[in-house]
Structures are given as C-alpha cells and as structure tokens.
Amino acid sequence: MTISGKAKLAGVMGWPVGHSRSPRLHGFWLEQYDIDGAYVPMAVRPEHLQAALRALPKLGFRGCNLTVPHKEAAIPLLDRIDDAARHIGAVNTVIVEADGTLTGRNTDAPGFIANLRQGAPGLTLDGATAMVIGAGGAARGIVAGLIEAGVVEIKLANRSPEKASAIAHGFEPYVVTVPWDERADRMDDLDLLVNTTSLGMTGQPPLDLPLDGLPRKAVVTDAVYAPLETDLLARARARGNPVVDGLGMLLHQAVPGFAAWFGVEPEVTEELRRHVLGA
Ligand code: ATR
C-alpha cells in the first residue's frame, strides 16, 4: 500500500474509537487491492461531531463510518439521508459528494442479509418467519433487512416492551411484539432466530433463552462476534441447528462504503475474516 499526496482518505468517527475493527478491515482491503489510500480511526467527542463531519470535505476525505455514539446523532447534521438510514434512525456510512455535501447511508440491513445468505445458503427468507431478540439500534437495522428480504412475520421480544412496540410501530405490519417471558414459548414456527442484544459478548452474561421449542431446521444467528461462537450459537449448534456468526455482518456492512470511497467493490473472504479476528 502506498500513501501519496493524492491518496483517497476515509475513516471512522467514534467516542471512544479504539475498539473499532473498521481500520483493520478497510486496511486489509486497501492493501489487497493496492489502493493509494488510508482509513484512519478518529476519536470525536459528541459535542464536536458536527464540526468533524463538516471538516471532512475540507480535509479531502471521501467520507467516513460512524460508530457509537454518533450513529443517531448524525442524522440532523447531514445534507441528505437515504431511505434506509431514515427508517432505521441511524447512519453508519457518510459519503462526501463531489460538491462537498454529505450523504448519510445505513448499510447494516444489507450487511446482515448478505452475511446470512453467505452463511446459511439453504435458508429462504422470502415468506419466512423470524424471531428477533432485542430492540436497540442493531435490531432496527436487522428488522429492516429482514423485511426487505421478504420475511413476512417478525416476532420481536425485548426486556423493555416499550422499545419493542416502538419498532413494531415503525415497521407495521410485519413486526409483532412478544412478551419477554413468552419468548421461549413462541418458537415453534420459526425459520430464523436472531440475537441483537449485547448479551453473550465477552464480559457480559449469556443470553437467557431456552431453545427446546425451536425447530431444528431454524437458522440461529447472533449480532455478537466476540466471541465468534457465543453461548447461544454453541447451544444451537449442539442441538443441530444451522448457525451463522456475527462477524460477517460487520464485514459485509463495510462493502458499500469502501466501494464509494475507494472505487473498488471489495470481497468478503475467509482471509479477511481471519485478519479481522486477529486484531
Ligand atoms: P445496540 O444499539 O447496539 O443494539 P442498545 O441500544 O444498548 O444497543 O440495545 C441493547 C439491547 O440489549 C436492548 O434491546 C436491551 O434491552 P432493553 O431495551 O430492555 O434495555 C438488551 N439488553 C441489554 N441487557 C439485557 C439484559 N440483561 N437482559 C435482556 N436484555 C438486555
């Protein structure tokens, strides 16, 4: 990889930003495709987000990713928001247009679906029934992706019912809320089960979700990717369910941004997975 005075520039804004795997991910592709470019972590305090975004064109940046806590806050600060970002209520990818204006996109939904299609090629999403656990920012992107892919019913279970109701309202009529205490009893017709909470992540308790009622053909996937095999995925695998880990969602959501900034549609490969995991 070379970085010349004409290098194409992008990065990720977060606060903190040290945990982000995006520099490692985009850095791998820059190297692989021998692109004159750089992708840098940018620690941006919430109160500086507007100034930092507006500085992008002045610094010659092609755009950036946004991570916690900027994904929702950026919406009113940009010039244009795509339909997905507006519906999900969060931006993860910012593009600097030729005239210096800023467009916000959300690529979580297609990233989630691309990972699922790659990891569970036997699953037909069109006409499927899914259960989604959790109702935070990750859940919104995943619900949007599932509906876009043709899922006809999404059972949404969240510890706090009002957050589940808010998502159900935003995605009528596809989402039905399931009381938290009934989540394990409403699985008999599922084709897909998704954990979108942070439970199961290293340092967090595991997701409390008995799988006895889940059909063995149902695919189980987890937005958590550290560890790669969460307690949920290990239990699902042990009883014979197909499982898809969450790392691919991170990798696939990065593809449209890289393509827009650096001009190459990058591939998600096993080598990339190993590289990002090695961080
Ligand atoms: P993100 O935006 O990354 O999805 P978030 O908005 O903090 O993160 O959402 C975290 C999700 O994990 C929420 O659905 C949260 O449930 P609540 O809405 O009830 O807070 C869920 N969650 C976190 N800890 C939990 C726990 N101990 N038991 C059940 N759900 C939990």
Side-chain angles (χ1 to χ4, degrees):
M1 183 181 68
T2 52
I3 302 179
S4 76
K6 289 191 217 146
K8 300 174 175 126
L9 303 175
V12 53
M13 293 184 189
W15 185 260
V17 78
H19 68 280
S20 172
R21 303 234 173 182
S22 294
R24 201 170 164 84
L25 161 56
H26 287 275
F28 179 89
W29 281 331
L30 287 170
E31 192 88 43
Q32 180 181 353
Y33 298 107
D34 196 22
I35 290 170
D36 180 16
Y39 183 102
V40 293
M42 295 179 275
V44 175
R45 288 178 182 278
E47 62 270 31
H48 295 156
L49 179 62
Q50 181 163 22
L53 286 167
R54 287 298 159 193
L56 286 172
K58 297 174 194 157
L59 292 167
F61 273 59
R62 304 274 179 121
C64 69
N65 286 121
L66 298 177
T67 186
V68 179
H70 300 322
K71 292 168 84 162
E72 290 85 13
I75 290 202
L77 307 178
L78 299 168
D79 300 302
R80 229 167 284 102
I81 302 289
D82 77 2
D83 287 347
R86 190 172 304 287
H87 203 173
I88 294 166
V91 167
N92 70 345
T93 304
V94 176
I95 314 284
V96 176
E97 306 291 353
D99 62 359
T101 57
L102 304 176
T103 300
R105 298 177 57 184
N106 192 306
T107 64
D108 282 338
F112 173 76
I113 297 299
N115 181 40
L116 208 48
R117 291 203 196 282
Q118 195 173 38
L123 173 67
T124 304
L125 288 169
D126 199 14
T129 296
M131 179 178 279
V132 170
I133 306 289
R140 283 185 167 269
I142 286 169
V143 165
L146 291 173
I147 293 170
E148 177 80 25
V151 170
V152 287
E153 184 178 349
I154 298 171
K155 302 182 188 190
L156 185 63
N158 193 53
R159 179 182 59 180
S160 312
E162 63 283 356
K163 277 168 76 181
S165 299
I167 294 189
H169 187 65
F171 292 93
E172 269 172 349
Y174 301 99
V175 179
V176 294
T177 59
V178 168
W180 186 242
D181 291 343
E182 291 176 25
R183 62 199 185 287
D185 307 322
R186 302 278 289 272
M187 294 185 171
D188 55 334
D189 57 349
L190 295 187
D191 302 296
L192 175 69
L193 172 65
V194 189
N195 173 42
T196 74
T197 74
S198 48
L199 296 169
M201 193 185 289
T202 308
Q204 295 260 7
L207 178 68
D208 175 15
L209 184 63
L211 298 178
D212 309 305
L214 185 69
R216 283 182 209 278
K217 66 164 181 42
V219 174
V220 180
T221 186
D222 204 322
V224 172
Y225 59 83
L228 206 51
E229 179 148 287
T230 57
D231 168 75
L232 172 70
L233 295 185
R235 287 188 294 115
R237 188 196 295 283
R239 66 194 293 284
N241 290 89
V243 299
V244 180
D245 69 58
L247 181 63
M249 181 178 173
L250 171 77
L251 307 183
H252 283 282
Q253 64 76 31
V255 169
F258 189 91
W261 306 320
F262 300 116
V264 174
E265 176 100 10
E267 249 191 298
V268 174
T269 58
E270 193 48 44
E271 207 188 345
L272 174 71
R273 279 176 62 91
R274 279 200 301 273
H275 178 80
V276 173
L277 279 175

